[in-house]
Amino acid sequence: MIFQLAAEGNGPSKIARRLREMEIVTPGTLEFERTGRTHRYDPSNPCFWLSSTIVYILNNRDYLGHTVNFKTTKKSYKSKKKIRNPEEKQVVFENTHEALVSQETWEIVKKNRENRRGKRVNVALILSAQ
C-alpha cells in the first residue's frame, strides 16, 4: 500500500498521515507484538507513522525480492560506529525471496521521488543565490 500511494504521487508525509488515519500499526509495534522488543515501540501511539519510516521503506531494495549485503562497515573491529557503504561496495543477490513490489512500481516510485527532490534542491539553490 505504501508503494502504491507513492506511485500515485504522494510524498512520505502524506503517506504517513494516511496510515495514521487508517490506524495501521507501525513496524515497531509489530516487532514488539512478535518479539517483545521495545526499541522502536511507543505504547501511547502504536499507529504513529513517521515520514522517515516511509522513506526507509521506499528506499529498501529488499521489497523487490533482493538481498543486499555489506550496507555498512566499520573503520576498525574496535569501533562500534557503523559507516554506510556506497552502493558500488554493496552486494545485491537478486530474487532471493518473493518480491512484495513489482519492478515497474519500484521504478515509478524512484522516478517520482527523484523528481520531487530535484525540485526542492533547485528551489534551495535559487533561494541561496538571491
Side-chain angles (χ1 to χ4, degrees), residues 9 14 17 44 46 51 55 57 63-64 66 79-80 82 88 110-111 122:
K14 193 170 186 178
R17 192 175 330 113
S44 61
S51 58
V55 169
I57 290 171
Y63 290 99
L64 285 171
H66 308 327
S79 173
K80 293 185 180 185
K82 292 181 181 179
E88 306 86 51
K110 185 176 177 184
K111 184 178 177 184
N122 291 340

Side-chain angles (χ1 to χ4, degrees), residues 37-87:
R37 290 188 208 132
T38 59
H39 174 66
R40 299 179 299 156
Y41 175 60
D42 182 5
S44 61
N45 290 319
C47 301
F48 191 78
W49 285 81
L50 298 172
S51 58
S52 59
T53 305
I54 304 299
V55 169
Y56 176 79
I57 290 171
L58 293 175
N59 290 331
N60 193 339
R61 290 178 281 179
D62 293 341
Y63 290 99
L64 285 171
H66 308 327
T67 299
V68 182
N69 287 351
F70 309 111
K71 293 179 188 176
T72 60
T73 187
K74 295 180 181 182
K75 282 188 177 182
S76 164
Y77 71 93
K78 296 178 183 178
S79 173
K80 293 185 180 185
K81 184 178 179 183
K82 292 181 181 179
I83 302 168
R84 183 136 179 96
N85 262 338
E87 285 194 23

Side-chain angles (χ1 to χ4, degrees), residues 19 23 25 28 46 49 53 67-68 70 85 96 98-99 127-128 130:
L19 293 173
E23 295 185 1
V25 294
W49 285 81
T53 305
T67 299
V68 182
F70 309 111
N85 262 338
T96 56
E98 183 181 350
L127 291 175
S128 65
Q130 292 178 349

